[in-house]
Amino acid sequence: MAAAVKNLSSEESSPAEEWTVVLPRRGKKNRSFGNSGVPIRQKEEQSWTPIDTEADPARESKLMQKMQIYFQKLEVSDFFSSFLEQMQNPDMLNRFLKVLGSEEKMQMVIYGIGSIESFELPRFQLSLAILMKRKFSWIGEIQVFDPIISLTESKVLNSLGCSVLSVNEQGRRQVQKPTLFFMPHCEADLYENLLEVNWVMDRLIRLVLFGNSFGSYEQHMSLCKNLAVSNSRKHILAVKKFSEEVKIKTFSDDSFRAFHGSSWHFFSPVTEAELEI
């Protein structure tokens, strides 16, 4: 066990390491709303084609330079030092080890990253995900999807070693192997979809989620007492009884708005009865 934990320690990845690239597509966000105003989750995967079909090397170069600045800015921040310290804590390493099981790598899926070309917060969030990959040898390939990603952003993401998905999974990725879902500040629908499609024991135990605090959702639901909203969040609310939430520490620096209210979530249902809603 000690040797296995040691393999989860911080380690720089080789610059020569190559990751698989999936050809990008793009589409507009598609949300349907019922009479209650609550979004109706789409269950079908949707093909995704970029609107801007012409490459722009100048834009790509400018965006890559921006990303390098954000890597450097985040890497020297108090937030990142605290974040790494938390991930390297023996208790946290054991949680990741439990999810990894006999696997050597945990793939990362990034949903809802937003536009890294237009906004600062997505650049900070993407920087954290990629720095995690560089620092920890047990993090495997990174797959990314957001329906607003442009062709320019897709090319930069590919250059940074990420695979851009060619379909909108609506958050409904069925976990077959250890997977870290990186979803800071995503809409609740995406969390709900992810939990719903993996609502069986052997999937949930292979899943780690970095995203909004589920405890905050629970507090909000207890105050608003809206049955329609509660029903649309039923898996988020039900998962609390067999999950462990570890909040991250944020600082009053440039990265605060990108990560405040974020937590790690680990899931460990013991009986099928716990999954009954």
Side-chain angles (χ1 to χ4, degrees), residues 9-50:
S9 61
S10 175
E11 179 179 316
E12 294 286 352
S13 298
S14 168
E17 183 177 358
E18 296 182 357
W19 304 337
T20 303
V21 173
V22 181
L23 293 178
R25 298 181 181 177
R26 183 189 181 214
K28 295 182 180 179
K29 289 186 177 180
N30 181 5
R31 298 192 188 96
S32 300
F33 291 81
N35 295 331
S36 65
V38 177
I40 300 172
R41 294 187 300 278
Q42 302 295 317
K43 295 189 177 183
E44 297 296 328
E45 292 184 353
Q46 300 174 354
S47 296
W48 178 70
T49 306

Side-chain angles (χ1 to χ4, degrees), residues 32-236:
S32 300
F33 291 81
N35 295 331
S36 65
V38 177
I40 300 172
R41 294 187 300 278
Q42 302 295 317
K43 295 189 177 183
E44 297 296 328
E45 292 184 353
Q46 300 174 354
S47 296
W48 178 70
T49 306
I51 295 175
D52 50 338
T53 56
E54 294 186 7
D56 189 334
R59 281 176 61 192
E60 293 168 28
S61 177
K62 183 177 180 180
L63 180 53
M64 181 62 81
Q65 291 174 14
K66 278 186 180 181
M67 286 305 307
Q68 296 304 324
I69 291 171
Y70 278 79
F71 286 139
Q72 295 169 13
K73 187 183 295 188
L74 185 61
E75 198 163 17
V76 299
S77 68
D78 290 336
F79 165 77
F80 188 62
S81 296
S82 173
F83 187 84
L84 284 183
E85 183 178 354
Q86 182 186 55
M87 287 192 69
Q88 293 169 325
N89 178 282
D91 289 338
M92 282 292 287
L93 289 177
N94 280 327
R95 293 184 182 99
F96 289 115
L97 179 64
K98 185 177 180 180
V99 176
L100 275 168
S102 61
E103 300 288 335
E104 294 183 359
K105 299 282 187 178
M106 184 183 300
Q107 68 175 348
M108 183 189 297
V109 176
I110 302 176
Y111 287 138
I113 192 65
S115 172
I116 61 172
E117 185 175 23
S118 301
F119 301 106
E120 179 178 71
L121 302 190
R123 289 194 286 272
F124 270 121
Q125 292 166 350
L126 178 65
S127 296
L128 180 61
I130 291 177
L131 286 174
M132 287 169 57
K133 162 70 180 177
R134 294 177 180 176
K135 296 290 184 180
F136 295 96
S137 61
W138 52 271
I139 295 181
E141 64 172 335
I142 299 178
Q143 299 179 343
V144 182
F145 183 80
D146 192 296
I148 68 171
I149 291 175
S150 67
L151 181 59
T152 293
E153 291 167 327
S154 295
K155 287 182 172 291
V156 170
L157 284 163
N158 291 342
S159 296
L160 291 171
C162 302
S163 302
V164 181
L165 299 175
S166 61
V167 294
N168 185 351
E169 298 178 335
Q170 303 284 345
R172 293 181 173 277
R173 168 76 65 92
Q174 291 190 358
V175 173
Q176 305 298 333
K177 57 185 178 180
T179 306
L180 191 168
F181 288 91
F182 186 85
M183 303 170 61
H185 296 181
C186 280
E187 296 179 0
D189 284 340
L190 281 178
Y191 301 123
E192 178 68 17
N193 287 355
L194 179 65
L195 292 174
E196 182 180 30
V197 78
N198 289 292
W199 202 251
V200 292
M201 288 178 59
D202 61 348
R203 289 181 190 161
L204 286 168
I205 61 175
R206 295 189 177 97
L207 189 160
V208 176
L209 173 62
F210 179 77
N212 296 349
S213 167
F214 287 177
S216 296
Y217 284 120
E218 188 176 45
Q219 292 174 7
H220 176 71
M221 289 298 101
S222 67
L223 293 174
C224 79
K225 301 186 184 303
N226 184 312
L227 182 59
V229 175
S230 295
N231 286 338
S232 73
R233 308 286 184 264
K234 60 184 180 181
H235 291 87
I236 293 176

